[in-house]
Amino acid sequence: MIFRSLFFIFVFVPFLIVIIPLQALIVRLRLPFWYAVPRMFHRLGCVFLGLRVRVVGEVATGRPTLLVSNHISWADIIAIGSVTPVIFVAKREVSEWPFVRIMAYLQKTVFVDRTRRSGTGRTAKAMGQAMARGDNVVLFAEGQSDIGTHVLPFRSALVGAAQHAMEAAGAKEVNIQPLTIAYTKMQGLPISRNERSLVSWDKSKSVKQNIRHILSGPVKDVTVAFGTPQVLREGVDRKTITKAAENEVRATLVALNRTGSVPVKSAQV
């Protein structure tokens, strides 16, 4: 904890003082290398939070990519953002959190209002525009976070809406790629079910409690696994593709929790 406190005071805070106005200018000018600063931020965030990130596979190339992922904790964003440049889709409430709102804007985060039907359309349009520009988008497809032992059903509505938005933007095909995040060890030892409460963010905890648990907890090993992409094009059933991605993420999560390795298919891109 002493190391993290010193790191925060002498490294993290000075970095933020410099990069926040710089990144705001980069985003405003729409410069193509906008993702460089957020990636540096996330890598420093991993050091501060005690996250050791292992990567399996890589992001698909050749066409715009929508990464559909499971969701365990807000720390998922730090872990994923440290290994690849992406734009996240987050619930509207996040845009109301102090500081987080600023950092989310600087990473071009897309916010979705799940309480309104019209919110899905606006979110899909923003996702489609981002992917049409060549940016990769991460969607936490369960719609909520869970403890990290299983995967909730993926919601296909935003996947289909993003497809229509992509077509409207002029792109006819998009990669739908499964993305699995798993917290496998704490202080070098396999994480137990009870210890998962020190990482996961469920409804029984407030944001402050979750932040306190992660900051005060030991070093955590995290695996970010990019799975097998499928092409979503006009006429393809988005529910079938979403379900296939869900099944792959579930199988990969179970394998990572049990053995620390992933099925061969999930490691190929």
Side-chain angles (χ1 to χ4, degrees), residues 8-54:
F8 181 77
I9 295 170
F10 294 108
V11 178
F12 209 40
V13 171
F15 175 77
L16 291 175
I17 292 174
V18 173
I19 66 99
I20 287 179
L22 174 62
Q23 181 66 2
L25 179 63
I26 291 173
V27 171
R28 182 175 291 274
L29 295 177
R30 299 181 179 180
L31 299 178
F33 51 84
W34 67 269
Y35 54 83
V37 171
R39 192 166 182 183
M40 292 171 60
F41 167 78
H42 291 305
R43 287 183 173 179
L44 288 176
C46 286
V47 176
F48 177 53
L49 298 176
L51 302 178
R52 292 191 300 207
V53 184
R54 177 173 71 109

Short mmCIF file of all heavy atoms in Angstrom, two decimals, residues 8-54:
data_model
loop_
_atom_site.label_atom_id
_atom_site.label_comp_id
_atom_site.label_asym_id
_atom_site.label_seq_id
_atom_site.Cartn_x
_atom_site.Cartn_y
_atom_site.Cartn_z
N PHE A 8 1.18 6.89 -6.64
CA PHE A 8 0.07 7.80 -6.96
C PHE A 8 0.51 9.26 -6.84
O PHE A 8 0.21 10.08 -7.72
CB PHE A 8 -1.10 7.52 -6.02
CG PHE A 8 -2.30 8.39 -6.27
CD1 PHE A 8 -3.15 8.13 -7.35
CD2 PHE A 8 -2.60 9.45 -5.44
CE1 PHE A 8 -4.26 8.93 -7.58
CE2 PHE A 8 -3.70 10.26 -5.67
CZ PHE A 8 -4.53 9.99 -6.74
N ILE A 9 1.22 9.58 -5.77
CA ILE A 9 1.60 10.97 -5.52
C ILE A 9 2.68 11.47 -6.48
O ILE A 9 2.57 12.56 -7.04
CB ILE A 9 2.09 11.12 -4.05
CG1 ILE A 9 0.94 10.86 -3.08
CG2 ILE A 9 2.66 12.52 -3.83
CD1 ILE A 9 1.38 10.76 -1.63
N PHE A 10 3.70 10.64 -6.70
CA PHE A 10 4.87 11.13 -7.43
C PHE A 10 4.89 10.75 -8.92
O PHE A 10 5.68 11.31 -9.68
CB PHE A 10 6.14 10.59 -6.76
CG PHE A 10 6.37 11.15 -5.40
CD1 PHE A 10 6.19 10.36 -4.27
CD2 PHE A 10 6.74 12.48 -5.22
CE1 PHE A 10 6.40 10.87 -3.00
CE2 PHE A 10 6.94 13.00 -3.95
CZ PHE A 10 6.77 12.20 -2.83
N VAL A 11 4.03 9.82 -9.33
CA VAL A 11 4.00 9.43 -10.74
C VAL A 11 2.63 9.67 -11.37
O VAL A 11 2.51 10.37 -12.38
CB VAL A 11 4.39 7.93 -10.90
CG1 VAL A 11 4.31 7.53 -12.38
CG2 VAL A 11 5.78 7.68 -10.36
N PHE A 12 1.60 9.10 -10.76
CA PHE A 12 0.28 9.12 -11.38
C PHE A 12 -0.31 10.52 -11.45
O PHE A 12 -0.78 10.97 -12.50
CB PHE A 12 -0.65 8.18 -10.61
CG PHE A 12 -1.73 7.57 -11.45
CD1 PHE A 12 -1.47 7.14 -12.75
CD2 PHE A 12 -3.02 7.41 -10.96
CE1 PHE A 12 -2.46 6.58 -13.53
CE2 PHE A 12 -4.02 6.85 -11.73
CZ PHE A 12 -3.74 6.43 -13.02
N VAL A 13 -0.28 11.24 -10.34
CA VAL A 13 -0.86 12.60 -10.32
C VAL A 13 -0.11 13.54 -11.27
O VAL A 13 -0.77 14.25 -12.06
CB VAL A 13 -0.88 13.15 -8.88
CG1 VAL A 13 -1.26 14.63 -8.90
CG2 VAL A 13 -1.87 12.38 -8.02
N PRO A 14 1.23 13.59 -11.24
CA PRO A 14 1.92 14.45 -12.21
C PRO A 14 1.59 14.08 -13.66
O PRO A 14 1.45 14.96 -14.52
CB PRO A 14 3.40 14.20 -11.90
CG PRO A 14 3.42 13.82 -10.47
CD PRO A 14 2.18 13.01 -10.27
N PHE A 15 1.47 12.77 -13.93
CA PHE A 15 1.12 12.32 -15.28
C PHE A 15 -0.26 12.87 -15.68
O PHE A 15 -0.44 13.38 -16.80
CB PHE A 15 1.12 10.80 -15.32
CG PHE A 15 0.65 10.21 -16.63
CD1 PHE A 15 1.48 10.20 -17.73
CD2 PHE A 15 -0.63 9.69 -16.74
CE1 PHE A 15 1.05 9.66 -18.94
CE2 PHE A 15 -1.06 9.14 -17.95
CZ PHE A 15 -0.22 9.13 -19.05
N LEU A 16 -1.23 12.78 -14.77
CA LEU A 16 -2.58 13.26 -15.07
C LEU A 16 -2.60 14.77 -15.31
O LEU A 16 -3.32 15.26 -16.20
CB LEU A 16 -3.52 12.91 -13.92
CG LEU A 16 -3.84 11.42 -13.72
CD1 LEU A 16 -4.70 11.21 -12.48
CD2 LEU A 16 -4.55 10.85 -14.94
N ILE A 17 -1.84 15.50 -14.53
CA ILE A 17 -1.79 16.96 -14.68
C ILE A 17 -1.32 17.34 -16.08
O ILE A 17 -1.82 18.31 -16.68
CB ILE A 17 -0.86 17.58 -13.61
CG1 ILE A 17 -1.49 17.42 -12.22
CG2 ILE A 17 -0.60 19.05 -13.91
CD1 ILE A 17 -0.59 17.86 -11.09
N VAL A 18 -0.40 16.57 -16.61
CA VAL A 18 0.13 16.86 -17.93
C VAL A 18 -0.78 16.36 -19.05
O VAL A 18 -1.06 17.08 -20.02
CB VAL A 18 1.54 16.24 -18.10
CG1 VAL A 18 2.03 16.41 -19.54
CG2 VAL A 18 2.53 16.88 -17.14
N ILE A 19 -1.28 15.11 -18.89
CA ILE A 19 -1.95 14.49 -20.04
C ILE A 19 -3.41 14.89 -20.22
O ILE A 19 -3.94 14.81 -21.33
CB ILE A 19 -1.84 12.95 -19.97
CG1 ILE A 19 -2.61 12.37 -18.77
CG2 ILE A 19 -0.40 12.52 -19.96
CD1 ILE A 19 -3.96 11.83 -19.10
N ILE A 20 -4.08 15.30 -19.16
CA ILE A 20 -5.51 15.64 -19.31
C ILE A 20 -5.70 16.79 -20.30
O ILE A 20 -6.47 16.67 -21.26
CB ILE A 20 -6.16 15.93 -17.94
CG1 ILE A 20 -6.35 14.61 -17.18
CG2 ILE A 20 -7.52 16.62 -18.13
CD1 ILE A 20 -6.96 14.78 -15.80
N PRO A 21 -5.04 17.94 -20.13
CA PRO A 21 -5.21 19.00 -21.13
C PRO A 21 -4.65 18.62 -22.50
O PRO A 21 -5.21 19.01 -23.54
CB PRO A 21 -4.44 20.19 -20.53
CG PRO A 21 -3.51 19.61 -19.52
CD PRO A 21 -4.19 18.39 -19.00
N LEU A 22 -3.56 17.83 -22.51
CA LEU A 22 -2.99 17.40 -23.79
C LEU A 22 -3.96 16.50 -24.55
O LEU A 22 -4.20 16.69 -25.75
CB LEU A 22 -1.68 16.64 -23.53
CG LEU A 22 -1.01 16.00 -24.76
CD1 LEU A 22 -0.63 17.06 -25.77
CD2 LEU A 22 0.20 15.18 -24.34
N GLN A 23 -4.54 15.53 -23.86
CA GLN A 23 -5.48 14.61 -24.51
C GLN A 23 -6.75 15.33 -24.93
O GLN A 23 -7.33 15.00 -25.97
CB GLN A 23 -5.81 13.44 -23.58
CG GLN A 23 -6.76 12.41 -24.17
CD GLN A 23 -6.18 11.64 -25.35
OE1 GLN A 23 -5.03 11.85 -25.72
NE2 GLN A 23 -6.97 10.76 -25.94
N ALA A 24 -7.19 16.30 -24.14
CA ALA A 24 -8.37 17.08 -24.51
C ALA A 24 -8.13 17.79 -25.84
O ALA A 24 -9.02 17.85 -26.70
CB ALA A 24 -8.70 18.08 -23.42
N LEU A 25 -6.94 18.31 -26.03
CA LEU A 25 -6.59 18.99 -27.28
C LEU A 25 -6.52 17.99 -28.44
O LEU A 25 -7.03 18.26 -29.54
CB LEU A 25 -5.24 19.70 -27.13
CG LEU A 25 -4.71 20.44 -28.37
CD1 LEU A 25 -5.66 21.56 -28.76
CD2 LEU A 25 -3.30 20.99 -28.10
N ILE A 26 -5.94 16.83 -28.19
CA ILE A 26 -5.82 15.80 -29.22
C ILE A 26 -7.21 15.34 -29.69
O ILE A 26 -7.46 15.19 -30.89
CB ILE A 26 -5.01 14.60 -28.70
CG1 ILE A 26 -3.54 14.99 -28.50
CG2 ILE A 26 -5.12 13.40 -29.64
CD1 ILE A 26 -2.70 13.93 -27.82
N VAL A 27 -8.11 15.13 -28.73
CA VAL A 27 -9.47 14.70 -29.07
C VAL A 27 -10.21 15.79 -29.83
O VAL A 27 -10.91 15.53 -30.82
CB VAL A 27 -10.24 14.30 -27.80
CG1 VAL A 27 -11.72 14.06 -28.11
CG2 VAL A 27 -9.63 13.04 -27.18
N ARG A 28 -10.06 17.02 -29.38
CA ARG A 28 -10.75 18.14 -30.02
C ARG A 28 -10.29 18.31 -31.47
O ARG A 28 -11.09 18.61 -32.36
CB ARG A 28 -10.52 19.43 -29.25
CG ARG A 28 -11.24 20.65 -29.82
CD ARG A 28 -11.05 21.86 -28.93
NE ARG A 28 -11.77 21.71 -27.69
CZ ARG A 28 -13.05 22.02 -27.53
NH1 ARG A 28 -13.75 22.49 -28.55
NH2 ARG A 28 -13.62 21.88 -26.36
N LEU A 29 -9.00 18.11 -31.71
CA LEU A 29 -8.44 18.25 -33.06
C LEU A 29 -8.64 17.00 -33.91
O LEU A 29 -8.27 16.98 -35.08
CB LEU A 29 -6.95 18.58 -32.97
CG LEU A 29 -6.59 19.93 -32.34
CD1 LEU A 29 -5.08 20.11 -32.26
CD2 LEU A 29 -7.21 21.08 -33.13
N ARG A 30 -9.17 15.92 -33.28
CA ARG A 30 -9.44 14.66 -33.97
C ARG A 30 -8.18 14.09 -34.61
O ARG A 30 -8.19 13.62 -35.75
CB ARG A 30 -10.54 14.85 -35.02
CG ARG A 30 -11.87 15.30 -34.43
CD ARG A 30 -12.93 15.44 -35.48
NE ARG A 30 -14.20 15.86 -34.90
CZ ARG A 30 -15.33 16.06 -35.59
NH1 ARG A 30 -15.32 15.88 -36.91
NH2 ARG A 30 -16.43 16.45 -34.99
N LEU A 31 -7.10 14.11 -33.86
CA LEU A 31 -5.84 13.58 -34.36
C LEU A 31 -5.88 12.06 -34.33
O LEU A 31 -6.46 11.45 -33.42
CB LEU A 31 -4.68 14.11 -33.51
CG LEU A 31 -4.52 15.65 -33.52
CD1 LEU A 31 -3.37 16.07 -32.62
CD2 LEU A 31 -4.29 16.15 -34.94
N PRO A 32 -5.24 11.40 -35.31
CA PRO A 32 -5.36 9.94 -35.44
C PRO A 32 -4.68 9.15 -34.34
O PRO A 32 -5.01 7.97 -34.14
CB PRO A 32 -4.70 9.66 -36.80
CG PRO A 32 -3.77 10.81 -37.01
CD PRO A 32 -4.46 11.99 -36.40
N PHE A 33 -3.74 9.76 -33.61
CA PHE A 33 -3.03 9.03 -32.56
C PHE A 33 -3.63 9.29 -31.18
O PHE A 33 -2.95 9.21 -30.17
CB PHE A 33 -1.54 9.40 -32.56
CG PHE A 33 -1.28 10.89 -32.53
CD1 PHE A 33 -1.27 11.59 -31.33
CD2 PHE A 33 -1.07 11.59 -33.70
CE1 PHE A 33 -1.04 12.95 -31.30
CE2 PHE A 33 -0.83 12.96 -33.68
CZ PHE A 33 -0.81 13.65 -32.47
N TRP A 34 -4.94 9.56 -31.13
CA TRP A 34 -5.62 9.90 -29.89
C TRP A 34 -5.50 8.80 -28.83
O TRP A 34 -5.57 9.07 -27.63
CB TRP A 34 -7.10 10.14 -30.15
CG TRP A 34 -7.83 8.90 -30.58
CD1 TRP A 34 -8.04 8.45 -31.83
CD2 TRP A 34 -8.44 7.92 -29.70
NE1 TRP A 34 -8.72 7.26 -31.83
CE2 TRP A 34 -8.98 6.91 -30.53
CE3 TRP A 34 -8.57 7.81 -28.33
CZ2 TRP A 34 -9.64 5.80 -30.02
CZ3 TRP A 34 -9.21 6.70 -27.81
CH2 TRP A 34 -9.75 5.72 -28.65
N TYR A 35 -5.32 7.54 -29.26
CA TYR A 35 -5.33 6.40 -28.35
C TYR A 35 -4.03 6.22 -27.57
O TYR A 35 -3.98 5.45 -26.61
CB TYR A 35 -5.61 5.11 -29.13
CG TYR A 35 -4.65 4.90 -30.28
CD1 TYR A 35 -3.40 4.34 -30.08
CD2 TYR A 35 -5.00 5.28 -31.58
CE1 TYR A 35 -2.51 4.17 -31.14
CE2 TYR A 35 -4.12 5.11 -32.63
CZ TYR A 35 -2.87 4.55 -32.41
OH TYR A 35 -2.00 4.38 -33.45
N ALA A 36 -2.96 6.92 -27.96
CA ALA A 36 -1.65 6.72 -27.33
C ALA A 36 -1.67 7.12 -25.85
O ALA A 36 -1.16 6.39 -24.99
CB ALA A 36 -0.58 7.50 -28.08
N VAL A 37 -2.24 8.26 -25.55
CA VAL A 37 -2.27 8.74 -24.17
C VAL A 37 -3.15 7.86 -23.28
O VAL A 37 -2.74 7.48 -22.18
CB VAL A 37 -2.71 10.22 -24.10
CG1 VAL A 37 -2.95 10.65 -22.66
CG2 VAL A 37 -1.65 11.11 -24.74
N PRO A 38 -4.37 7.50 -23.70
CA PRO A 38 -5.18 6.60 -22.87
C PRO A 38 -4.48 5.28 -22.58
O PRO A 38 -4.60 4.74 -21.47
CB PRO A 38 -6.45 6.39 -23.70
CG PRO A 38 -6.57 7.62 -24.51
CD PRO A 38 -5.16 8.00 -24.85
N ARG A 39 -3.75 4.76 -23.55
CA ARG A 39 -3.07 3.48 -23.32
C ARG A 39 -1.98 3.64 -22.26
O ARG A 39 -1.80 2.77 -21.40
CB ARG A 39 -2.47 2.95 -24.62
CG ARG A 39 -2.01 1.51 -24.50
CD ARG A 39 -1.74 0.89 -25.85
NE ARG A 39 -1.35 -0.50 -25.73
CZ ARG A 39 -1.00 -1.27 -26.75
NH1 ARG A 39 -1.04 -0.80 -27.97
NH2 ARG A 39 -0.66 -2.53 -26.55
N MET A 40 -1.26 4.76 -22.28
CA MET A 40 -0.27 5.04 -21.24
C MET A 40 -0.94 5.16 -19.89
O MET A 40 -0.44 4.65 -18.88
CB MET A 40 0.49 6.33 -21.58
CG MET A 40 1.40 6.23 -22.80
SD MET A 40 2.06 7.85 -23.28
CE MET A 40 2.93 8.31 -21.78
N PHE A 41 -2.10 5.82 -19.87
CA PHE A 41 -2.86 5.98 -18.62
C PHE A 41 -3.25 4.62 -18.05
O PHE A 41 -3.10 4.36 -16.85
CB PHE A 41 -4.11 6.82 -18.88
CG PHE A 41 -5.11 6.79 -17.77
CD1 PHE A 41 -4.94 7.54 -16.63
CD2 PHE A 41 -6.25 5.99 -17.87
CE1 PHE A 41 -5.87 7.51 -15.59
CE2 PHE A 41 -7.18 5.94 -16.84
CZ PHE A 41 -6.99 6.71 -15.71
N HIS A 42 -3.74 3.74 -18.89
CA HIS A 42 -4.18 2.42 -18.43
C HIS A 42 -2.99 1.58 -17.95
O HIS A 42 -3.12 0.82 -16.98
CB HIS A 42 -4.94 1.69 -19.54
CG HIS A 42 -6.28 2.29 -19.85
ND1 HIS A 42 -7.24 2.48 -18.88
CD2 HIS A 42 -6.81 2.76 -21.00
CE1 HIS A 42 -8.32 3.01 -19.44
NE2 HIS A 42 -8.08 3.20 -20.71
N ARG A 43 -1.86 1.70 -18.61
CA ARG A 43 -0.69 0.94 -18.17
C ARG A 43 -0.21 1.41 -16.80
O ARG A 43 0.16 0.58 -15.94
CB ARG A 43 0.42 1.07 -19.21
CG ARG A 43 0.14 0.27 -20.48
CD ARG A 43 1.27 0.35 -21.48
NE ARG A 43 1.04 -0.55 -22.61
CZ ARG A 43 1.86 -0.68 -23.64
NH1 ARG A 43 2.98 0.03 -23.70
NH2 ARG A 43 1.58 -1.53 -24.62
N LEU A 44 -0.21 2.70 -16.59
CA LEU A 44 0.14 3.21 -15.26
C LEU A 44 -0.92 2.80 -14.25
O LEU A 44 -0.62 2.50 -13.09
CB LEU A 44 0.28 4.73 -15.29
CG LEU A 44 1.51 5.28 -16.01
CD1 LEU A 44 1.47 6.81 -16.04
CD2 LEU A 44 2.79 4.81 -15.33
N GLY A 45 -2.20 2.78 -14.69
CA GLY A 45 -3.28 2.35 -13.82
C GLY A 45 -3.11 0.91 -13.36
O GLY A 45 -3.43 0.57 -12.22
N CYS A 46 -2.59 0.06 -14.24
CA CYS A 46 -2.34 -1.34 -13.86
C CYS A 46 -1.30 -1.42 -12.74
O CYS A 46 -1.44 -2.22 -11.81
CB CYS A 46 -1.87 -2.14 -15.07
SG CYS A 46 -3.17 -2.53 -16.25
N VAL A 47 -0.27 -0.61 -12.84
CA VAL A 47 0.76 -0.58 -11.80
C VAL A 47 0.15 -0.10 -10.49
O VAL A 47 0.36 -0.69 -9.42
CB VAL A 47 1.93 0.34 -12.20
CG1 VAL A 47 2.96 0.43 -11.06
CG2 VAL A 47 2.61 -0.18 -13.47
N PHE A 48 -0.63 0.96 -10.56
CA PHE A 48 -1.24 1.53 -9.36
C PHE A 48 -2.22 0.56 -8.70
O PHE A 48 -2.27 0.45 -7.46
CB PHE A 48 -1.95 2.83 -9.74
CG PHE A 48 -2.68 3.49 -8.60
CD1 PHE A 48 -2.04 3.76 -7.40
CD2 PHE A 48 -4.02 3.84 -8.73
CE1 PHE A 48 -2.72 4.36 -6.35
CE2 PHE A 48 -4.70 4.43 -7.69
CZ PHE A 48 -4.05 4.70 -6.49
N LEU A 49 -2.99 -0.16 -9.50
CA LEU A 49 -4.00 -1.07 -8.96
C LEU A 49 -3.45 -2.46 -8.64
O LEU A 49 -4.15 -3.27 -8.05
CB LEU A 49 -5.16 -1.22 -9.95
CG LEU A 49 -5.96 0.05 -10.27
CD1 LEU A 49 -7.01 -0.24 -11.32
CD2 LEU A 49 -6.59 0.63 -9.01
N GLY A 50 -2.22 -2.72 -9.05
CA GLY A 50 -1.65 -4.04 -8.81
C GLY A 50 -2.19 -5.09 -9.75
O GLY A 50 -2.46 -6.23 -9.34
N LEU A 51 -2.35 -4.75 -11.04
CA LEU A 51 -2.85 -5.68 -12.03
C LEU A 51 -1.69 -6.16 -12.92
O LEU A 51 -0.99 -5.34 -13.52
CB LEU A 51 -3.91 -5.03 -12.92
CG LEU A 51 -5.15 -4.45 -12.24
CD1 LEU A 51 -6.06 -3.81 -13.29
CD2 LEU A 51 -5.90 -5.51 -11.46
N ARG A 52 -1.50 -7.48 -12.98
CA ARG A 52 -0.52 -8.06 -13.91
C ARG A 52 -1.30 -8.68 -15.05
O ARG A 52 -1.99 -9.69 -14.87
CB ARG A 52 0.34 -9.10 -13.20
CG ARG A 52 1.26 -8.49 -12.15
CD ARG A 52 2.29 -9.48 -11.66
NE ARG A 52 1.68 -10.67 -11.05
CZ ARG A 52 2.28 -11.40 -10.11
NH1 ARG A 52 3.50 -11.08 -9.70
NH2 ARG A 52 1.68 -12.47 -9.60
N VAL A 53 -1.20 -8.08 -16.22
CA VAL A 53 -2.06 -8.46 -17.34
C VAL A 53 -1.33 -9.39 -18.31
O VAL A 53 -0.21 -9.10 -18.74
CB VAL A 53 -2.55 -7.21 -18.10
CG1 VAL A 53 -3.52 -7.62 -19.21
CG2 VAL A 53 -3.24 -6.24 -17.14
N ARG A 54 -1.97 -10.50 -18.62
CA ARG A 54 -1.47 -11.44 -19.64
C ARG A 54 -2.43 -11.41 -20.82
O ARG A 54 -3.66 -11.40 -20.64
CB ARG A 54 -1.41 -12.86 -19.07
CG ARG A 54 -0.97 -13.92 -20.09
CD ARG A 54 -0.76 -15.27 -19.40
NE ARG A 54 -2.00 -15.87 -18.98
CZ ARG A 54 -2.55 -16.95 -19.54
NH1 ARG A 54 -1.96 -17.52 -20.58
NH2 ARG A 54 -3.67 -17.47 -19.08
#
